[in-house]
Amino acid sequence: MSLLQKERGKKPTNRKLSIELTKFIDQNVKYLYDYKRRRVADEELNQEQTRLTFFYRGMSNCAYKAVPGIYRKSEWHEENYYYNEISVRCPEIFRTLNNLEKLTYMQHYGCPTRLLDITSNPLVALYFACSGKIDIDGEVVIFAVNERDVLYSNSDRIQMLSKLAEFKRDEQNDLRLLAYYYLNDDKFPQSSNRHYANTVVERFYHAVKRNNGAFERDIIPFDILRPQFVQPNKDNPRILKQDGAFIISGLNANEDECEMKIQKYIIRELLIPGKYKADILKQLEYVGINQATLFPEVEKVADYLRRRK
């Protein structure tokens, strides 16, 4: 922590963090994040206890990592490339959607986003774990989160994380580094005119405020770094049928950093041997869980009926 302490006395400016400080943060991300997360957890222990909420994710290949598409190593496009291109090509749809709904729409049609699909129904997760190739073992991942930390689309935190999709990768990384730098201050510094001292933070604030006039200048650095569990509106048929929810990722440099943060919420990983997949899918049919019920689109239902024996 000595390098961070050395820099603390310096007046914040619009310049980027030094190369030396940037390297220090990148090398100590896990330590910095864990230190802050433990502090937050200790503070929550002094508050009224709430119940745990459980979510599940089924993956057809146990080798897959539980990270959103935009942070997977195989993804070479920037997040804002997808966001802007779809906004331009589908303006009649996007202009009526809020930030989270835009990402949900993109996710629905296969675009990599910072959303990770989860469900509150373990049998739905089991279906997805078995839906892949039968010669590959699947997996059901179980997440546990405090009930009060499951947010809705109108939450300030969710609106902030959803808005990150508009920013280029280098701008996101500047925000990320500044968030780690000011992590223990619980705030970004402001100038005498109450503008944020760092230009990229000021731009981010105005981007969020465009869609939320009541948004105030109290951005907490930890809130744009940590993943958040979000319960979207049930106006999407697929989300409704699948008891769907999302983990929306905060700012990360890469897949490993993203996985490290999401792993904090995983309490169990259940291996589903490939040799049992077909039998499990047959059993799920008896309780009404199949492609036709989970994917209500006409083409999905038709494909299910065509393959049904």
Side-chain angles (χ1 to χ4, degrees), residues 192-226:
S192 57
N193 60 2
R194 296 205 66 226
H195 287 188
Y196 283 107
N198 301 93
T199 304
V200 68
V201 182
E202 181 70 10
R203 287 189 57 245
F204 179 60
Y205 162 74
H206 283 290
V208 179
K209 193 171 179 63
R210 278 199 302 270
N211 297 102
N212 180 2
F215 187 69
E216 298 182 357
R217 289 182 178 275
D218 57 357
I219 301 174
I220 299 173
F222 192 50
D223 284 347
I224 61 174
L225 290 174
R226 60 173 165 170

Side-chain angles (χ1 to χ4, degrees), residues 82-97 102 105-106 109:
Y82 292 110
Y83 184 89
N84 290 328
E85 283 294 318
I86 290 186
S87 295
V88 169
R89 296 170 188 267
C90 308
E92 68 287 351
I93 296 173
F94 258 43
R95 71 166 61 98
T96 63
L97 304 179
K102 290 177 182 178
Y105 182 86
M106 293 167 62
Y109 285 100

